[in-house]
Amino acid sequence: MNEQSGPSTAGPAPVRPARSAAGAAPAHPPAGPDAGRTALGLCSVTYRRLPAIEVARCAAHAGLEVIEWGADVHAPAEEPGTVRAVREASDRYGLACCSYGSYFRATPDELAGFPAVARAAMLLGAKRVRVWAGATGSQYALPEQRHATVRCLRAAARIAADHGLGLATEFHGGTLTDTVASTVRLLDEVDADNVRTYWQPPLDTPDEEALSGLAELGDRIVAVHAFSWWPGNTRLPMEDREDLWTAALGMLDGRGIEALLEFVPGDDPAVLTREAATLRRAAGQTVSGRT
């Protein structure tokens, strides 16, 4: 998904107290009575054309609390100065970075670059790195391709663990996590405690079937990418598939996952508050995040 966004029209938001990027405050919410609550947030790739400070402002204005910073535009791993500035933008608006959205595809020629990815995640204060399970769909991948991806994910998991990070695979077509069955198989093959998966409703999949797959993945899920597309990649307001998201977030309630808005209609920052309100309602939360 490489859609791009338009200019911001969202209104101003008050700046929340800044936190030190050096670690004076926790990078993500501490454990406590709300530890199992679903945290609501945004994928920065939703607004690729906006500077990071504006993305953070829009997320805070919408009442969101966490963000997944993308590595392709906002926080490239090879630009630590840029990554530090992105962390400062998060801190300025009181957002926790829950995940670093990398484009590491677990291929042998990419493995040497993964330590830099892990370091960037640490600079952001993220607790995990989002990765991709190869570059070939499960139906077409040759056995040696699958084995190579498993080996690379194992190696990346070890590097991530050395940095106190988890990994989560994108649940996406054209990879080895394009179906529930292949995702379960892959996670079993990798067999690493710090490797889980994301979930999102597969394109053109009826709600009942999508929810059945969600139930099968169960506690392997650490976060979901929330959007409302139907048919294909036609973007609808979240409220048009609110029943799906109410059911999905109800199934995941109490597990401490994140629900991250992604690719809103028209790439329009002005609709983010509306979309966040629908997601909040689906999660059974008030503006404060409490049920």
Side-chain angles (χ1 to χ4, degrees):
M1 300 180 188
N2 292 300
E3 293 89 345
Q4 296 184 336
S5 64
S8 172
T9 56
V15 175
R16 304 180 189 181
R19 299 177 299 172
S20 169
H28 44 82
D34 292 331
R37 178 179 60 82
T38 298
L40 307 183
L42 175 70
C43 294
S44 77
V45 295
T46 304
Y47 298 124
R48 282 189 171 106
R49 290 183 179 177
L50 297 183
I53 191 69
E54 185 68 3
V55 175
R57 186 187 69 80
C58 289
H61 178 74
L64 299 172
E65 57 189 307
V66 298
I67 191 163
E68 177 181 276
W69 286 110
D72 57 341
V73 173
H74 291 115
E78 65 276 11
E79 299 178 17
T82 300
V83 174
R84 290 188 186 94
V86 168
R87 172 67 183 271
E88 291 170 2
S90 299
D91 289 349
R92 178 179 177 184
Y93 284 99
L95 296 167
C97 178
C98 60
S99 177
Y100 182 41
S102 84
Y103 289 85
F104 174 76
R105 285 190 173 267
T107 58
D109 59 336
E110 292 181 305
L111 190 56
F114 190 77
V117 172
R119 289 192 295 271
M122 292 290 290
L123 286 175
L124 289 170
K127 58 183 178 181
R128 82 174 68 90
V129 180
R130 188 280 312 272
V131 297
W132 297 67
T136 305
S138 59
Q139 182 179 355
Y140 304 104
L142 299 173
E144 54 267 31
Q145 289 177 300
R146 188 175 189 104
H147 294 156
T149 297
V150 168
R151 288 194 300 270
C152 288
L153 285 174
R154 285 177 182 161
R158 289 192 293 270
I159 295 168
D162 288 342
H163 289 77
L165 297 166
L167 297 185
T169 55
E170 178 86 0
F171 185 65
H172 202 284
T175 72
L176 296 180
T177 49
D178 55 359
T179 68
V180 170
S182 184
T183 300
V184 170
R185 176 185 168 189
L186 181 75
L187 294 177
D188 286 345
E189 289 170 334
V190 174
D191 192 25
D193 291 340
N194 63 331
V195 181
R196 295 290 186 271
T197 189
Y198 279 68
W199 179 84
Q200 61 194 35
L203 292 184
D204 293 324
T205 301
D207 290 6
E208 184 176 351
E209 183 178 342
L211 292 170
S212 176
L214 174 64
E216 188 173 344
L217 287 171
D219 60 7
R220 296 173 184 264
I221 296 170
V222 290
V224 298
H225 285 160
F227 52 82
S228 178
W229 291 8
W230 193 277
N233 60 359
T234 301
R235 300 186 190 188
L236 306 175
M238 283 290 290
E239 65 182 1
D240 284 13
R241 300 196 76 186
E242 188 171 346
D243 288 348
L244 167 66
W245 284 109
T246 298
L249 296 182
M251 292 168 63
L252 296 169
D253 188 37
R255 300 188 186 181
I257 69 152
E258 296 99 22
L260 306 172
L261 287 166
E262 185 179 39
F263 299 130
V264 300
D267 293 326
D268 186 359
V271 307
L272 185 59
T273 296
R274 179 197 71 195
E275 299 295 272
T278 303
L279 185 66
R280 189 175 298 113
R281 189 166 59 242
Q285 297 182 7
T286 64
V287 174
S288 68
R290 299 180 184 274
T291 55

